[in-house]
Amino acid sequence: MTASPPPEARTTVLVADDHPLWLGALERDLVEAGLDVVATAGDGPSTVRRARATRPDVLVLDLNLPGMRGDEVCRALGDLETRVLILSASGEQLDVLAAIKAGATGYLVKSASATEIVDAVVATARGEAVFTPGLAGLVLGEFRRMATAGDGDAARSSAAGERQRAADRPIPELTERETEVLRLVATGMSYKEIAAELVLSHRTVQNHVQNTLGKLHLHNRVELVRFALARGLEDPNGDAAGVGD
Amino acid sequence: MILRGALVGVTDRSVRTGRPEPIVVEAFSRGLDWFRPAAAAYAGWLAWQRHDAMARPWVAYVVVAVLMAFSLALLAYRRRTTLLLGVEVLLAVAGIFATLLADRPEAVASGQFTLPTIWAAGCVVGAAVLHGRLGGVVVAALIAVADVLEVGTPTVTTWHNILLLFLLGGLIGLAVDLAREGLTRYAQVVAERERLRERERLARVVHDGVLQTLTFIHRRGDELGDGGAELASLAADQERALRRLVTQDLTDDSRVGVVAAERDLRPLLTAREADRVTVSLPADPVTLPAERAVELDAAVGAALDNVIQHAGPGATAWLLLEERGDDVSVTVRDNGVGDDLDHLMSAEDRGRLGVSQSIIGRARDLGGTASVTTRPGGGCRVVITVPRREKESV
């Protein structure tokens, strides 16, 4: 705590990576860019502990930390204000998607340049969703998958009750505009280029992209609550409490 | 772990042989352990039934008592060795010959039961369980010889009994041999699977470490300047190659259960990733009949070739694969110099086949469409959309 008191606006960052070289380089780049790296961590559990202790604005998270999977870390920090930016070397698609669904708001491959990474951290701190073309492709695919899985359920279940249940479970859908924007992101266009192409404001494009992530998170949370409720109702203690009165 | 009553499986370590045994072999042994005292009791009951007709009933009782004592001892002492088997065979043979002392000669000649009766069959089964079909047949032969010698002139019943003994020893021995061989194979398969899993785990660890290091070199090399840039591009190439290898490994795994005639488009398109080509894919496999997948991939390749030839130096291309209902769509976009659309489409008239033939023609052959959007200075966007299955031609 010998450092000079940072100005109010300085963004606090926690960097989590199990590769010491990477961790050092990343930390240096971020500090050079004027960000406040409040802590670093080398494995999943310590990432969660330090994030809880320091409550940074942004957590730069390597996807393959020892001890916990990336999506588990995201889920464990779900109640914090901290925004999670995924940084991954292998780009293992299912893992990236799982982390994004668990609440991460950005994804970048490690081969991105130092400037790109710094920009992404700053954007994440501002609350913007950092999309790579790869992530946009994944999210498009995920919404498509959820839509077709829903159709499949409805088609399979002939009973009226089943159909009712399928209707109760809203499948999130992208608006045509959102799909269009995501498609442009997935083919490498910047928000600025998209804004020009679709004659929208930069901010509107930003919002469209963020909304797609929001729908994904919400759906994931609804599914989690549903799961918890189902488990809770089967809990013998829960039953006893219900029977008791 | 092992279900009681199940016949398939392995005991960790048999008390009888001191090594892992198939459950079915253990079941034979257990049954045999209870068969012996039961057979001895039966022999005793038979002897008591006809003790009036015997010359020396006490010999019969002594023989039955010894057999029963041995049988009960084997219930307590579980280890089965060849030596113990030898003792058992010896007792059976002695019991058979003791019949000559106990019974009158005329009773023996008429084919009267031997004193041990079916107890002798127990050692045939015991030998089969211990040493397989060879053991079973050898001991069956020994008992058969003893029977024949005891009777003098074998009756039809003697031959029947001998045949049954050989069948018993041979068949149970065969079953035991098969079960043991299955066990050996099973152990080999398990060991092989474990080795494979370990290798995969190691590969994952190594891949991850090497990928990280290559990415690091790539990144730092770029910042170093001249010499570094070369290093960086080398590392970047290797990084891409390794990533492709890793994802292909994974997709191969997930292909299990997909009909061989179907092909996932993702590995095909991933292979087109390069320094200036970024590929965006869904997380789940996008399968098409193999020949359609290859044809679509070729159309994508033609679109990328077009980028390389006409988009100008420094142009970057992006590739997006999407499923849209029954259609599969691939978008190829570049940020190059672009072209006048009419000029591009009239290339055919000028003797160049590029866009119209290799992209639009291929898409049409697959029953789909290809749309090209471009303007000078604005890059180029090609969207190829084809139905997943061939439409029924009317």
Side-chain angles (χ1 to χ4, degrees):
Chain A
M1 297 299 112
T2 52
S4 57
E8 284 300 308
R10 260 181 78 173
T11 305
T12 52
V13 185
L14 168 63
V15 186
D17 200 309
D18 64 326
H19 205 274
L21 271 177
W22 256 108
L23 190 62
L26 257 181
E27 190 183 358
R28 202 175 63 232
D29 289 344
L30 294 176
V31 169
E32 272 172 16
L35 298 167
D36 182 14
V37 178
V38 289
T40 59
D43 63 70
S46 69
T47 302
V48 173
R49 272 199 310 279
R50 280 168 208 172
R52 293 209 161 277
T54 58
R55 300 189 167 248
D57 296 327
V58 179
L59 163 62
V60 179
L61 178 67
D62 181 279
L63 208 49
N64 302 311
L65 288 181
M68 270 169 108
R69 290 198 318 269
D71 58 316
E72 290 172 333
V73 173
C74 292
R75 208 161 288 130
L77 298 175
D79 55 327
L80 295 189
E81 288 292 299
T82 301
R83 297 196 173 86
V84 183
L85 174 66
I86 299 288
L87 205 54
S88 148
S90 62
E92 182 35 69
Q93 306 196 357
L94 285 173
D95 297 345
V96 174
L97 195 60
I100 291 293
K101 281 165 83 177
T105 58
Y107 160 60
L108 213 57
V109 284
K110 277 193 172 173
S111 44
S113 71
T115 341
E116 281 174 308
I117 293 181
V118 169
D119 288 348
V121 173
V122 172
T124 306
R126 274 202 306 266
E128 291 175 17
V130 174
F131 263 57
T132 57
L135 177 57
L138 283 179
V139 171
L140 273 174
E142 180 64 10
F143 275 100
R144 166 65 56 195
R145 189 190 65 76
M146 288 191 288
T148 50
D151 288 352
D153 283 348
R156 267 195 302 278
S157 54
S158 50
E162 282 288 317
R163 218 174 294 131
Q164 183 58 40
R165 206 188 309 163
D168 284 348
R169 184 181 311 177
I171 308 262
E173 271 181 45
L174 294 179
T175 63
E176 228 158 272
R177 231 325 126 71
E178 284 163 352
T179 310
E180 198 177 7
V181 170
L182 268 194
R183 234 171 238 156
L184 295 182
V185 174
T187 48
M189 287 173 83
S190 69
Y191 293 165
K192 205 168 126 202
E193 287 170 318
I194 297 170
E197 170 110 11
L198 300 180
V199 201
L200 295 171
S201 75
H202 184 274
R203 187 68 230 166
T204 313
V205 174
Q206 224 350 294
N207 284 344
H208 281 311
V209 174
Q210 255 162 275
N211 283 348
T212 61
L213 271 197
K215 285 181 182 178
L216 210 54
H217 291 166
L218 188 66
H219 181 63
N220 202 40
R221 239 169 297 164
V222 168
E223 289 295 306
L224 275 178
V225 169
R226 197 184 300 281
F227 176 75
L229 274 177
R231 293 299 288 263
L233 291 177
E234 281 164 21
D235 187 340
N237 296 329
D239 275 351
V243 170
D245 57 30
Chain B
M1 193 168 72
I2 292 159
L3 255 69
R4 213 177 147 67
L7 286 181
V8 182
V10 183
T11 54
D12 284 347
R13 195 159 185 272
S14 163
V15 285
R16 295 183 174 84
T17 53
R19 55 180 185 192
E21 288 284 2
I23 285 195
V24 64
V25 173
E26 281 297 286
F28 277 142
S29 298
R30 220 174 23 243
L32 188 59
D33 285 349
W34 291 104
F35 169 80
R36 283 195 204 90
Y42 177 65
W45 183 72
L46 281 184
W48 183 76
Q49 287 278 301
R50 56 189 180 96
H51 72 275
D52 289 342
M54 282 185 182
R56 300 177 194 84
W58 62 270
V59 174
Y61 294 140
V62 168
V63 166
V64 168
V66 169
L67 293 186
M68 181 56 97
F70 183 78
S71 302
L72 291 177
L74 283 194
L75 270 182
Y77 182 74
R78 312 302 285 279
R79 186 86 193 174
R80 297 292 175 266
T81 58
T82 310
L83 186 71
L84 200 65
L85 178 70
V87 174
E88 191 179 353
V89 173
L90 220 61
L91 283 177
V93 170
I96 289 169
F97 284 117
T99 317
L100 294 174
L101 283 173
D103 271 320
R104 295 175 212 284
E106 56 272 21
V108 171
S110 71
Q112 182 53 265
F113 304 129
T114 61
L115 286 179
T117 62
I118 55 172
W119 195 87
C123 40
V124 175
V125 176
V129 169
L130 201 60
H131 291 297
R133 53 188 189 274
L134 183 68
V137 169
V138 165
V139 172
L142 287 175
I143 302 291
V145 168
D147 275 345
V148 170
L149 289 179
E150 185 255 355
V151 165
T153 20
T155 62
V156 176
T157 322
T158 315
W159 291 122
H160 285 180
N161 285 341
I162 287 170
L163 181 69
L164 288 177
L165 279 182
F166 274 104
L167 273 180
L168 194 66
L171 288 182
I172 289 188
L174 188 65
V176 169
D177 282 345
L178 285 176
R180 287 218 175 99
E181 196 173 320
L183 174 64
T184 319
R185 293 260 175 87
Y186 175 74
Q188 279 166 355
V189 168
V190 168
E192 184 57 36
R193 204 173 49 197
E194 285 303 310
R195 266 200 298 279
L196 209 69
R197 200 170 288 163
E198 177 61 12
R199 212 154 47 211
E200 274 174 5
R201 193 190 64 78
L202 279 177
R204 262 201 306 278
V205 173
V206 171
H207 281 155
D208 201 52
V210 174
L211 260 181
Q212 301 243 23
T213 313
L214 283 174
T215 315
F216 186 77
I217 297 172
H218 171 196
R219 187 152 164 252
R220 287 289 138 179
D222 272 340
E223 294 164 10
L224 285 176
D226 282 350
E230 196 181 336
L231 201 67
S233 89
L234 259 176
D237 278 346
Q238 291 305 308
E239 178 195 336
R240 251 192 314 276
L242 181 57
R243 188 172 301 151
R244 195 176 306 145
L245 208 69
V246 175
T247 42
Q248 261 166 14
D249 270 4
L250 290 165
T251 35
D252 274 351
D253 274 355
S254 64
R255 271 171 52 106
V256 176
V258 177
V259 189
E262 296 274 307
R263 201 152 172 195
D264 187 0
L265 256 180
R266 297 179 311 152
L268 287 176
L269 295 185
T270 313
R272 299 208 171 269
E273 202 164 30
D275 198 13
R276 294 190 166 279
V277 181
T278 307
V279 179
S280 304
L281 307 166
D284 298 310
V286 179
T287 51
L288 265 79
E291 70 277 13
R292 293 178 76 77
V294 170
E295 230 5 61
L296 177 54
D297 178 54
V300 171
L304 283 175
D305 284 345
N306 189 53
V307 173
I308 292 164
Q309 283 169 22
H310 305 297
T316 305
W318 289 269
L319 225 157
L320 168 66
L321 169 64
E322 286 175 277
E323 288 186 88
R324 302 186 190 178
D326 292 333
D327 293 342
V328 170
S329 127
V330 181
T331 307
V332 181
R333 187 188 84 92
D334 70 73
N335 60 357
V337 294
D339 196 356
D340 185 54
L341 189 58
D342 290 337
H343 182 250
L344 185 73
M345 297 314 275
S346 66
E348 192 175 10
D349 307 333
R350 283 176 281 123
R352 268 169 46 194
L353 290 177
V355 173
S356 59
Q357 188 59 38
S358 48
I359 304 176
I360 301 177
R362 274 199 173 95
R364 205 180 293 137
D365 288 349
L366 290 169
T369 57
S371 74
V372 182
T373 326
T374 182
R375 60 189 152 77
C380 181
R381 174 182 293 269
V382 180
V383 183
I384 307 167
T385 308
V386 301
R388 206 189 279 261
R389 315 249 155 243
E390 202 164 353
K391 294 219 169 77
E392 298 289 320
S393 51
V394 185

